Amino acid sequence: MERGAGMPTDDCDRTETGGEACQSGYHAQIKAENRARIIRAARDLFLARGYDKTSLAQIAREARVSTGTLFKRYPTKAALFAAVTSEQWQLDVQYAEAPPPGDPRYGLDHIGRDYACLVSRPGTAALCRLIITELPQMPELADIVGTGFAIDRGPFFDRLRDYLDAEAQAGTLDFRSSDGQTHPTSAVAEQFLGMICGQLLWPQLVRTDFVPPDPADTTIVDHAVALMLARYHTGA
């Protein structure tokens, strides 16, 4: 049977509501594709030319989007750079929740392996090197990525700190020193992440010929976990 004038032409316009939903989904897909191209183009240009020498107009051309589209989403270069760094540190679904307290060996091992995989992602070392190089000339970057340890800890810092707080409340970890002073969990979190990134990431920033260990090799994480348990585990 031939379609009549009043019959639907496809699944998207069988009803007015369905047509609007389909159109909305199409626009959302286009926006997502544009964003992905913008982030990819910005990251590649920032790494190739540097932050200061890269313009939003160049990024728009590389991403094949209009400058209006780019400025609507990212009105400043700093905002776009923040999006690039956030994307690099984006947690996958399996990283979203910290392990439950009660077994610090399992919990630290779980978080440590996730972190090792994340800092070993392609582009992470190059992005950190760019930040360190241009931070003195571009102080606005400090407001975006932080300074010092904040550059390499990504979203794992808050996740680990909250987990350590939970283990301390459960009585399985005790962060008091020999003189009775309690170490803040933020300092303990930095200590743990530092033991991992100090061997996986930071050598890449000072030696271009450094080949990082395979993130599938758990030796580095195992050693960091063992040191943490030796110092803070209560045995409970």
Side-chain angles (χ1 to χ4, degrees):
M1 179 184 296
E2 294 184 0
R3 293 178 182 266
M7 297 183 67
T9 57
D10 54 42
D11 291 340
C12 288
D13 55 13
R14 287 177 181 171
T15 67
E16 183 178 351
T17 302
E20 291 174 353
C22 186
Q23 186 178 37
S24 175
Y26 171 76
H27 287 308
Q29 179 182 352
I30 294 299
K31 290 176 66 175
E33 291 174 352
N34 284 342
R35 181 186 183 279
R37 288 203 304 272
I38 291 170
I39 294 295
R40 185 167 54 250
R43 182 194 61 214
D44 292 347
L45 286 173
F46 283 141
L47 293 180
R49 299 173 58 87
Y51 178 83
D52 187 36
K53 295 181 180 179
T54 299
S55 69
L56 290 177
Q58 291 169 337
I59 293 170
R61 286 195 299 270
E62 183 73 16
R64 304 189 308 279
V65 300
S66 68
T67 54
T69 296
L70 179 61
F71 279 101
K72 183 177 181 180
R73 182 178 286 272
Y74 304 108
T76 66
K77 187 166 62 172
L80 178 52
F81 189 81
V84 171
T85 57
S86 176
E87 186 79 10
Q88 186 68 30
W89 284 108
Q90 184 64 46
L91 288 172
D92 294 334
V93 174
Q94 65 266 34
Y95 302 154
E97 297 293 334
D103 186 349
R105 181 179 297 278
Y106 168 79
L108 290 171
D109 182 75
H110 183 81
I111 294 177
R113 292 188 187 203
D114 290 349
Y115 180 66
C117 289
L118 205 57
V119 298
S120 301
R121 278 180 175 173
T124 296
L127 190 60
C128 289
R129 191 181 299 114
L130 171 66
I131 294 168
I132 293 171
T133 300
E134 302 218 9
L135 196 60
Q137 291 77 33
M138 302 292 154
E140 67 269 23
L141 294 183
D143 296 330
I144 299 169
V145 299
T147 57
F149 198 85
I151 293 172
D152 59 36
R153 69 192 182 193
F156 272 83
F157 180 78
D158 291 339
R159 180 173 179 251
L160 175 59
R161 183 192 58 199
D162 293 345
Y163 170 74
L164 293 174
D165 280 332
E167 289 289 8
Q169 292 173 9
T172 52
L173 294 177
D174 185 350
F175 303 124
R176 285 176 296 181
S177 61
S178 57
D179 60 0
Q181 297 293 320
T182 299
H183 298 292
T185 50
S186 58
V188 179
E190 290 187 1
Q191 179 187 30
F192 181 63
L193 297 183
M195 286 189 285
I196 297 171
C197 80
Q199 297 187 63
L200 288 177
L201 176 62
W202 281 96
Q204 299 180 66
L205 306 184
V206 296
R207 288 182 50 195
T208 56
D209 62 338
F210 177 79
V211 179
D214 186 339
D217 183 351
T218 64
T219 303
I220 292 173
V221 174
D222 291 345
H223 183 64
V225 171
L227 288 176
M228 291 286 287
L229 294 177
R231 184 168 185 180
Y232 300 119
H233 194 206
T234 63

